[in-house]
């Protein structure tokens, strides 16, 4: 069969890919045998942003001469050429940001020895074609609609996302599904939501999140190698993971992972994290890939909005200088406590002695440093969320569910630690109530005791007033 003549009959950019039949259960090489004029032109004179590894087309070369190895491309070619399926895909690979490929894979009714063939036709879009995105398979459409309906729920965001990830796990009979967030500033990862099947040997992702895990997650972009996702179906695919990322291969296989679909979640070009399904039903590999391709942008938008609101909440509740909570957050917290249960509450007022003198003698930068050091001492004794900067030099600690003896011990610890720091001296007042409905009474008493402690301090150290 004259394959060049055959491909020249296509009007759109088209090439013919040869696929070696499996030998000993292993797939062979994938070669671009021939291309029509439009396809060759796309390699030798590519559109901006669509450049490949080379600008020279040579018939019958392995496709990896033109682009980095792509397991998704291999899977589609294999199923079209060997399994004789007609396939379509619409995706924007990471290696070509802002470019969408409308792809069609068709089997060729011709074989020779161990080779099967398919055509690969592509159309390039520089914007997402919403009409093309809407023509999804029925099962994928149903999956995406279900995810969208879940996201419209009025539930608290974390609860909502837990429902979404459980639904995704059920859709694909996976043992584990998870959304992992990545904070590039702090270089930390966190689990937004996850779902594990019953009787699975897999464990929660939180078990693996140590200070080094961000480096592993950061390496996943190289593992995906410019495609839009990673689809690993079998041991042969796992060997490619091993070649590209032996550390992660060891991690996932030692955790009993046999297959995985890994998809980046991006919003306006920024990587927020990843969504994945492990040990899924491989017969649903295409469905899960297309579901993630369509819903990833929707999920990323919802997550980005949540993270923005969370940052705004933090900005509105935290003191930017010291990192502890601010007075506004304290007022809100007191309001909640005054309407809540009968648990005990302890209150500590810790006011810095001599801050004005430090500011006058050494400048406000020295005063700011003193405030930061004071906050660090308090954070050694109490949780950050329990500490409030109530005024310029005044900190308030509000802690529930504590005994009076424990409160006394912690106050003594504050004094002990302050004595070891140059210039840090606290005037302290404390109060304890067995019913936290009386939190305002505790605040008033602690404030009065703090001012009495401050008066005694300045009687002993009158020079600190100057």
């Amino acid at each position: 069969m004259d394959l060049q003549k055959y491909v020249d009959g296509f009007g759109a950019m088209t090439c013919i890919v040869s696929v070696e039949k499996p030998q000993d259960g292993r797939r062979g090489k994938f070669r671009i045998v021939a291309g029509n004029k439009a396809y060759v032109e796309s390699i030798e004179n590519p559109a901006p942003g669509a450049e490949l590894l080379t600008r020279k087309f040579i018939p019958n070369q392995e496709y990896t001469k033109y682009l980095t190895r792509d397991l998704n491309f291999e899977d589609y070619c294999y199923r079209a050429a060997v399994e004789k399926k007609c396939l379509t895909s619409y995706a924007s690979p990471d290696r070509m940001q802002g470019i969408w490929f409308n792809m069609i894979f068709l089997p060729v009714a011709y074989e020779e020895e161990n080779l099967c063939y398919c055509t690969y036709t592509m159309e390039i879009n520089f914007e997402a074609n919403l009409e093309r995105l809407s023509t999804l398979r029925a099962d994928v459409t149903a999956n995406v609609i279900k995810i969208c309906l879940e996201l419209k729920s009025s539930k608290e965001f974390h609860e909502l996302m837990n429902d979404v990830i459980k639904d995704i796990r059920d859709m694909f009979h996976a043992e584990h599904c998870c959304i992992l967030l990545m904070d590039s500033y702090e270089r930390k990862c966190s689990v937004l939501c996850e779902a594990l099947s019953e009787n699975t040997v897999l464990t929660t992702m939180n078990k693996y999140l140590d200070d080094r895990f961000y480096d592993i997650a950061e390496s996943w972009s190289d593992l995906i190698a410019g495609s839009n996702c990673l689809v690993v179906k079998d041991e042969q695919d796992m060997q490619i993971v091993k070649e590209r990322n032996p550390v992660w291969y060891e991690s996932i296989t030692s955790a009993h992972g046999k297959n995985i679909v890994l998809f980046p979640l991006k919003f306006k070009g920024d990587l927020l994290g990843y969504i994945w399904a492990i040990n899924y039903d491989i017969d649903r590999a295409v469905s899960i890939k297309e579901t993630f391709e369509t819903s990833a942008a929707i999920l990323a938008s919802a997550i980005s909005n949540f993270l923005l609101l969370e940052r705004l909440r933090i900005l509105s509740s935290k003191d930017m200088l010291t990192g502890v909570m601010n007075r506004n957050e304290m007022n809100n917290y007191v309001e909640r406590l005054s309407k809540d249960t009968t648990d005990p509450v302890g209150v500590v007022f810790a006011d810095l002695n001599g801050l004005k003198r430090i500011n006058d003698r050494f400048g406000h930068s020295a005063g700011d440093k003193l405030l930061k050091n004071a906050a660090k001492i308090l954070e050694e004794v109490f949780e950050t969320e329990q500490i409030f900067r109530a005024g310029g030099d005044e900190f308030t600690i509000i802690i529930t569910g504590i005994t009076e003896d424990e409160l006394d011990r912690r106050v003594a610890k504050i004094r002990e630690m302050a004595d070891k720091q140059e210039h840090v001296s606290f005037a302290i007042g404390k109060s304890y109530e067995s019913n936290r409905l009386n939190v305002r009474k505790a605040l008033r008493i602690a404030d009065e005791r703090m001012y009495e402690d401050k008066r005694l301090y300045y009687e002993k150290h009158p020079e600190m007033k100057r």
Side-chain angles (χ1 to χ4, degrees), residues 180 182 187-189 205 208-224 241 244-252 262 271 274 276:
L180 185 80
M182 297 176 65
R187 292 189 66 80
K188 290 183 179 178
C189 296
M205 190 62 202
Y208 303 97
L209 296 186
D210 56 24
D211 292 339
R212 298 168 296 174
F213 193 84
Y214 187 90
D215 294 333
I216 294 175
E218 194 174 38
S219 71
W220 291 344
S221 59
D222 293 332
L223 184 65
I224 292 173
V241 172
R244 291 180 178 173
N245 197 326
V247 174
W248 190 55
Y249 169 84
E250 180 61 31
S251 175
I252 192 171
L262 178 70
L271 179 66
Y274 288 87
W276 68 72

Side-chain angles (χ1 to χ4, degrees), residues 240-444:
I240 296 172
V241 172
K242 185 176 182 179
E243 292 169 9
R244 291 180 178 173
N245 197 326
V247 174
W248 190 55
Y249 169 84
E250 180 61 31
S251 175
I252 192 171
T253 54
S254 64
H256 307 285
K258 301 180 182 68
N259 60 44
I260 184 170
V261 175
L262 178 70
F263 209 102
L265 294 172
K266 294 186 175 183
F267 184 73
K268 294 184 177 179
D270 293 330
L271 179 66
L272 305 179
Y274 288 87
I275 182 172
W276 68 72
I278 297 178
N279 294 355
Y280 61 91
D281 179 359
I282 61 171
D283 291 335
R284 300 169 188 252
V286 175
S287 179
I288 190 171
K289 175 179 179 291
E290 293 184 359
T291 297
F292 280 177
E293 281 176 339
T294 308
S295 62
I298 300 168
L299 289 168
S301 177
I303 293 169
S304 178
N305 185 57
F306 166 75
L307 293 176
L308 174 61
L309 292 175
E310 188 68 7
R311 283 194 291 271
L312 292 173
R313 184 191 69 78
I314 291 171
L315 287 172
S316 69
S317 63
K318 278 204 170 186
D319 175 57
M320 292 298 103
L321 176 64
T322 62
V324 301
M325 314 311 287
N326 62 21
R327 187 178 186 90
N328 179 61
E329 184 65 13
M330 184 183 81
N331 292 338
N332 292 336
Y333 186 48
V334 169
E335 183 67 24
R336 292 196 299 272
L337 289 181
S338 65
K339 298 177 180 178
D340 214 327
T341 64
T342 57
D343 290 342
V345 62
V347 173
V348 178
F349 272 58
D351 193 283
L352 271 172
N353 293 319
L355 178 63
K356 183 178 184 303
R357 182 171 182 268
I358 294 294
N359 281 332
D360 292 344
R361 291 189 64 183
F362 304 107
H364 284 282
S365 60
D368 289 348
K369 183 178 180 181
L370 180 61
L371 284 164
K372 291 177 183 178
N373 290 340
K376 286 179 182 178
I377 289 174
L378 297 177
E379 286 180 305
E380 290 289 323
V381 184
F382 297 95
E383 299 293 330
T384 301
E385 290 73 20
Q386 298 167 342
I387 307 166
F388 305 86
R389 187 179 175 199
D393 55 3
E394 184 179 288
F395 296 90
T396 303
I397 297 99
I398 304 174
I399 180 168
T400 59
I402 191 173
T403 66
E404 190 166 9
D405 287 344
E406 175 63 14
L407 185 66
D408 290 342
R409 189 191 68 77
R410 295 202 194 186
V411 169
K413 183 69 174 176
I414 294 172
R415 294 191 188 278
E416 177 188 332
M417 294 184 67
D419 287 342
K420 297 176 182 179
Q421 293 279 334
E422 186 179 7
H423 300 307
V424 178
S425 171
F426 287 111
I428 297 177
K430 67 177 179 63
S431 180
Y432 183 84
E433 290 288 332
S434 59
N435 187 329
R436 69 189 195 186
L437 294 174
N438 297 324
V439 61
R440 286 191 170 87
K441 177 182 176 182
L443 286 164
R444 186 183 71 254

Side-chain angles (χ1 to χ4, degrees), residues 21 32 46 50 65 94 115 119 186 234 252 267 364:
K21 291 180 181 178
I32 299 179
K65 297 291 185 181
D94 275 4
L115 295 179
T119 60
E186 296 284 345
D234 51 33
I252 192 171
F267 184 73
H364 284 282

